[in-house]
Amino acid sequence: MTLSTSETLNAHRGEGEQTPHARFRVSGMDCGGCERKAVAAATRVKGVIDAEANAAAGTLDVFLEAQTPPDEAAIDQAMRGLGYEVVHDEQTSSAAGVATPETAWWQSAKGKLVLVSGALLAAAAVLRLFWPALGSWPFVAATLVGLYPIVRSAWQALRVGEIFTIEALMSIAAVGALMIGAAAESAVVVVLFAVGELLEGVASSRARQSISALSSLAPSTARRLDGDEPTEVPADTLAPGQRVLIRPGDRVPCDGRIEQGGAYLDESPVSGEAEPLYKTAGDAVLAGTINHDGALTVEVTRRAEDNTIARIIRLVEDAQAAKAPVARFIDRFARWYMPAVVALALLLALLPPLVVGMAWSESVYRALALLLIACPCALVISTPAAIAAGLSSGARRGLLIKGGAVLETLGQVKTLVLDKTGTLTAGAPEVTDIEAWQGIGEDDVLRLAAALERESGHPIAAAIVARAGERDLTLPAVTGGRALAGAGIAGQVDGQEITLASPAHVGGMVSLAPAATTRIKALEEEGKSITVLVQDAVAVGLIALRDEPREDAREGLAALSRLGVNTVMLSGDNPRSAAAIGKTLGIEAHGGLLPDDKASRVAAWQASGRGPIGKVGDGINDAPALATAEVGIAMGGGTDVALETADAALLKDRVTGIAELIRLSRATLANVKTNVALALGLKAIFLVTTALGITGLWIAVMADTGATVLVTLNAMRLLRHRF
């Protein structure tokens, strides 16, 4: 159990203040009906003002009165009364708080009911065969014994105000069948119901395991460095500031920062990034990633309960609790649907005997079968099961989506607005052109420029020095180095005065040849920043730099185009640079925009019918536009911004991930539609056939539980979604 504050509920209610909130792990919840019963029971506990249950994640969130501690014993008792179990802290994974793997089906309460009721039915059939004089009593006994836990569950639900539950309808149908002399069929119905509930539980358990599997990514132990000697300790005891040793082949046990060493790290388990990334001193590492080679000394930066994996799991669970509009509609529909069908069953029992003279036993039998068809379990679970599977599938791919509503909206996006710097481009300038004049070589220009810039921390300086390093150039010593305010840098190399400065500054120092001036203007028109190298009052070359598009930018934009999504780039960079990048990528581009200007453009496009609008950015500088758009997407490699701002986040930090998000959304919505069609179609068919007397009780049970299992299994196909 965890205690925190709820942002989800407050956002849902529109309140500004935080509500004390406790989360419990609950096993045994498998469908929307289970969620409603758990919520009804929890809200009757003193001090609880509201509750939210999430069957897919196996969680119960209770929202408490101010300054009221959660009454764990009362919550535990309320859940046990419904046949559920609160999983306490010692039974959970401390790294992420995810419940331990489910028990084997034959050890669960539902599995035991199947075995007992099945054995009783078989025994009754044998007794009926060899001792016919016993009549229907063996089947009556089998029905009553198998029905007992079902009746008890129905009674507990009734006590918390849940009248129309599948257990209540099942109890009425089974007892009614006994009363009209259909004991054998009643016993079969009890067994089929138990089997259906078990299958539903197994299917739901598999969906939950897709989330809890994330918690197993982080190792359970770590090699903590006490001095220089490693000591093996539980990973969940690591604290910020401590140091750990990570050997080649080890999984990283914590979020941290490399102090010593360098190695290629496989981040695919966490972010979905296919290529291993080389990390060295100063670089951040994430729990659950794999060290391919090289020993690393890492400083712990987050506790286990706050590491990237734990936060992803909490985000996915919270997202599953945030229902999509279609799910909320189906919940409302189901609450009207069940009473309506119960009323229809009463009419079916009463009217035919009174109007057309049908036998009472026949009309009651049809009405009882209709009651079993009435339960909307398959319909209610059709949407959350698909959304839960979609969210889990995305999380395993490094695509984090904050709720079913966001997942639904993503697939409807018509226009996608992208930031330039750090989104479509690498976020740092790169050397694109080196030109030499006056008889010296390109390497000489680069060598002298890098020598001047070696001690500077400016991004342009870093790019020039990095390019010199790529060419293995030996840099000469610089004396008398000095900065030229807002213009460049100067110094002496081998007794010669060397200056590296902007064309405007150089133009006031020396005379540039017409060809050089023409070339500088052409490069500037391409959105490049130019620095000119001057040696002893003679311009001897230039270096052009630009924040270049990401390697996958063109591929990502092409994928969005194939999906029918229009793309636009909004940038705070100067219009010339923005236009140059836009031309390179083939995208509509607008530059020179302040954050509020970007938000205004988004709002104007929404008003003109170009929406729904999606906005992609870093989650901070683009905050107004992210908030204005229907859905905001943050790019970042596991940072706080990527996880906690916007509506969705791309952990693997690739433009192609945006199209993957939209494809996942559309696949999930298609799955939802299929599920709803399956649930309603089967209900409609069997409502008609039952009312006409074509199908009976046991077919009704198979139709109900079978439909539930079908939609759950169909939803689980999303766990294998191909991106």
Side-chain angles (χ1 to χ4, degrees):
M1 187 274 293
T2 57
L3 181 65
S4 59
T5 55
S6 168
E7 296 179 1
T8 302
L9 185 66
N10 289 325
H12 175 66
R13 292 176 172 171
E15 297 174 2
E17 61 186 32
Q18 298 283 292
T19 304
H21 154 227
R23 170 166 291 177
F24 294 86
R25 303 280 162 182
V26 179
S27 65
M29 296 190 300
D30 298 320
C31 65
C34 298
E35 292 176 348
R36 289 194 299 274
K37 288 186 288 185
V39 167
T43 51
R44 288 174 175 256
V45 174
K46 184 178 180 181
V48 176
I49 59 175
D50 205 347
E52 291 177 354
N54 183 348
T59 59
L60 173 70
D61 293 310
V62 295
F63 302 93
L64 309 162
E65 295 175 353
Q67 309 302 320
T68 301
D71 189 341
E72 296 184 42
I75 296 291
D76 199 336
Q77 184 178 357
M79 295 302 103
R80 285 183 181 276
L82 296 173
Y84 310 143
E85 181 182 359
V86 174
V87 182
H88 294 283
D89 290 341
E90 63 271 14
Q91 297 169 271
T92 62
S93 164
S94 56
V98 177
T100 53
E102 305 286 328
T103 57
W105 70 265
W106 57 86
Q107 295 175 319
S108 67
K110 291 181 177 181
K112 291 175 181 176
L113 179 59
V114 168
L115 295 175
V116 171
S117 59
L120 290 172
L121 177 62
V126 170
L127 288 172
R128 178 71 173 271
L129 180 62
F130 291 101
W131 290 279
L134 292 175
S136 298
W137 286 108
F139 292 105
V140 172
T143 299
L144 293 177
V145 173
L147 192 60
Y148 171 73
I150 300 171
V151 172
R152 184 179 61 184
S153 179
W155 171 246
Q156 293 293 345
L158 184 62
R159 289 179 58 190
V160 297
E162 289 294 312
I163 301 172
F164 298 106
T165 63
I166 182 59
E167 291 85 3
L169 300 181
M170 180 65 208
S171 300
I172 294 170
V175 172
L178 290 178
M179 294 176 65
I180 62 174
E185 196 163 3
S186 181
V188 172
V189 164
V190 169
V191 174
L192 289 175
F193 176 79
V195 171
E197 289 289 287
L198 174 64
L199 291 175
E200 180 182 306
V202 170
S204 298
S205 174
R206 286 189 59 189
R208 277 192 294 272
Q209 287 172 6
S210 68
I211 303 173
S212 52
L214 291 170
S215 66
S216 65
L217 293 177
S220 58
T221 61
R223 294 178 179 85
R224 189 180 66 202
L225 289 171
D226 300 313
D228 292 327
E229 293 298 320
T231 302
E232 190 164 292
V233 299
D236 59 1
T237 63
L238 295 175
Q242 294 180 339
R243 297 158 62 243
V244 295
L245 173 66
I246 304 170
R247 302 179 305 184
D250 286 353
R251 281 187 182 269
V252 178
C254 60
D255 282 6
R257 185 177 297 104
I258 298 175
E259 279 192 352
Q260 296 178 16
Y264 280 95
L265 292 176
D266 178 5
E267 295 190 341
S268 61
V270 178
S271 69
E273 177 60 65
E275 295 295 326
L277 302 176
Y278 186 77
K279 300 289 185 78
T280 188
D283 290 337
V285 295
L286 304 178
T289 55
I290 302 169
N291 180 8
H292 274 203
D293 52 6
L296 301 175
T297 299
V298 172
E299 178 189 356
V300 180
T301 56
R302 286 195 183 101
R303 294 184 180 275
E305 60 269 23
D306 293 322
N307 68 30
T308 300
I309 292 174
R311 292 157 71 211
I312 289 173
I313 292 170
R314 286 197 296 270
L315 188 149
V316 173
E317 290 178 346
D318 290 342
Q320 289 176 348
K323 293 185 177 181
V326 65
R328 291 196 293 269
F329 169 77
I330 288 175
D331 280 348
R332 291 193 300 268
F333 173 78
R335 288 188 175 274
W336 287 99
Y337 165 83
M338 282 188 68
V341 177
V342 169
L344 182 61
L346 284 173
L347 291 176
L348 186 60
L350 297 173
L351 289 183
L354 298 175
V355 176
V356 297
M358 180 184 290
W360 283 99
S361 60
E362 177 64 20
S363 67
V364 170
Y365 179 87
R366 295 186 186 185
L368 294 175
L370 193 65
L371 279 180
L372 295 180
I373 292 291
C375 184
C377 283
L379 180 61
V380 170
I381 203 173
S382 60
T383 299
I387 288 176
L391 293 172
S392 299
S393 182
R396 285 158 48 191
R397 182 78 174 181
L399 310 174
L400 302 185
I401 305 166
K402 295 187 176 180
V406 177
L407 186 62
E408 186 173 331
T409 304
L410 275 167
Q412 301 167 353
V413 166
K414 294 181 180 178
T415 301
L416 195 69
V417 178
L418 300 102
D419 186 31
K420 179 180 79 71
T421 306
T423 298
L424 288 174
T425 65
E430 297 179 7
V431 174
T432 59
D433 303 87
I434 303 172
E435 298 191 4
W437 311 318
Q438 304 299 326
I440 70 170
E442 289 185 5
D443 281 356
D444 293 323
V445 172
L446 182 59
R447 181 175 58 85
L448 292 171
L452 287 173
E453 297 281 23
R454 180 165 43 189
E455 302 301 324
S456 174
H458 193 279
I460 287 180
I464 292 174
V465 173
R467 179 57 60 89
E470 291 173 6
R471 295 192 180 186
D472 294 325
L473 300 180
T474 301
L475 305 185
V478 175
T479 58
R482 62 194 182 279
L484 306 175
I489 193 169
Q492 287 83 40
V493 175
D494 296 332
Q496 294 180 312
E497 180 69 16
I498 306 294
T499 301
L500 185 68
S502 66
H505 182 82
V506 169
M509 294 173 50
V510 299
S511 177
L512 291 172
T517 301
T518 301
R519 183 60 181 151
I520 289 171
K521 288 182 178 179
L523 291 171
E524 287 179 333
E525 286 299 320
E526 295 175 11
K528 298 176 181 178
S529 299
I530 312 298
T531 59
V532 178
L533 183 70
V534 176
Q535 183 177 19
D536 283 341
V538 177
V540 295
L542 65 79
I543 297 177
L545 304 96
R546 188 171 70 177
D547 183 11
E548 289 292 272
R550 291 173 179 265
E551 292 181 1
D552 72 325
R554 290 182 181 83
E555 180 186 352
L557 292 173
L560 290 167
S561 177
R562 289 193 296 271
L563 292 172
V565 178
N566 297 317
T567 53
V568 182
M569 184 180 77
L570 298 183
S571 176
D573 205 349
N574 67 76
R576 184 174 58 197
S577 296
I581 293 294
K583 183 178 179 180
T584 300
L585 295 176
I587 183 176
E588 178 184 344
H590 304 269
L593 301 174
L594 297 174
D596 287 348
D597 298 328
K598 296 179 183 179
S600 298
R601 293 286 181 102
V602 170
W605 287 330
Q606 288 170 325
S608 67
R610 289 182 67 168
I613 304 286
K615 175 68 176 76
V616 185
D618 62 11
I620 296 178
N621 297 330
D622 293 317
L626 286 167
T628 303
E630 278 82 358
V631 58
I633 303 169
M635 296 187 67
T639 63
D640 288 341
V641 167
L643 287 173
E644 295 167 7
T645 61
D647 301 304
L650 305 176
L651 284 186
K652 62 180 179 180
D653 206 17
R654 288 188 176 274
V655 180
T656 51
I658 305 169
E660 291 177 357
L661 272 175
I662 294 175
R663 283 198 295 268
L664 177 62
S665 170
R666 293 181 180 179
T668 303
L669 292 178
N671 193 285
V672 167
K673 292 176 182 177
T674 302
N675 277 353
V676 171
L678 275 172
L680 289 180
L682 287 171
K683 292 289 182 188
I685 291 170
F686 287 104
L687 279 172
V688 173
T689 58
T690 299
L692 295 176
I694 299 171
T695 53
L697 286 173
W698 68 275
I699 290 292
V701 173
M702 290 186 66
D704 176 65
T705 57
T708 302
V709 172
L710 270 179
V711 299
T712 304
L713 293 176
N714 184 52
M716 287 168 56
R717 291 191 305 110
L718 288 168
L719 296 175
R720 300 186 300 274
H721 174 71
R722 293 186 178 181
F723 291 87

